[in-house]
Amino acid sequence: MTGKGALERMIMDVLWAAETPLLVRELRERVNARADRPLAYTTVQTVADRLVGKELLVRTPDGIAYRYGPARRREDHVAALMLEALSALPDHGPALARFAEGIDPADAHRLLEELSRRALGASRSPSEPGGE
């Protein structure tokens, strides 16, 4: 795995899998378990700090060190990326159709169920049961 983007993804993957925010030394240990070659402490810290600047990670003090954790859940991050990509298009229809054609049938069914649930919720008036 090479390149800054790949390392950023690896760090995000490690932190999403972690149960709690990690110190740089803990993060480095887990990243190095996955890496082709060992990474220096300063490399991991620099990339983590860049991810804080991009608002993908949060950094909290822990004594003289910091703990790093994801700013949001993986599924929220992925959904935001998908919505951002869609917003770049003047007509969302063709991209949505292509997406629907390309996803696994089980995922398509799950998406259809979620869209149906959302549509039903939006059609209820506030006075109906289940309405707002």
Side-chain angles (χ1 to χ4, degrees):
M1 192 175 242
T2 59
K4 183 175 61 173
L7 182 52
E8 288 181 353
R9 279 191 304 278
M10 186 186 303
I11 286 174
M12 292 303 300
D13 287 343
V14 165
L15 289 169
W16 276 317
E19 293 183 21
T20 60
L22 302 176
L23 296 167
V24 172
R25 65 179 164 77
E26 297 167 328
L27 178 57
R28 178 180 173 256
E29 184 179 290
R30 294 182 191 193
V31 166
N32 280 340
R34 298 177 176 201
D36 296 334
R37 59 185 176 86
L39 299 168
Y41 179 98
T42 54
T43 300
V44 175
Q45 183 175 28
T46 299
V47 175
D49 286 337
R50 284 190 188 133
L51 291 168
V52 169
K54 293 179 179 184
E55 299 181 352
L56 295 172
L57 295 181
V58 292
R59 178 177 57 200
T60 54
D62 185 353
I64 61 169
Y66 289 102
R67 289 194 173 274
Y68 293 85
R72 57 185 169 188
R73 298 176 306 169
R74 181 192 303 259
E75 55 271 20
D76 294 332
H77 175 70
V78 171
L81 290 175
M82 293 167 69
L83 291 169
E84 182 182 336
L86 256 180
S87 72
L89 300 171
D91 180 6
H92 302 166
L96 288 170
R98 180 63 192 102
F99 178 75
E101 292 168 2
I103 63 174
D104 180 85
D107 290 335
H109 182 74
R110 191 168 176 191
L111 179 60
L112 184 58
E113 286 178 340
E114 185 60 29
L115 289 170
S116 296
R117 185 191 63 74
R118 179 178 174 198
L120 287 173
S123 67
R124 290 191 180 121
S125 70
S127 61
E128 290 182 63
E132 295 183 47

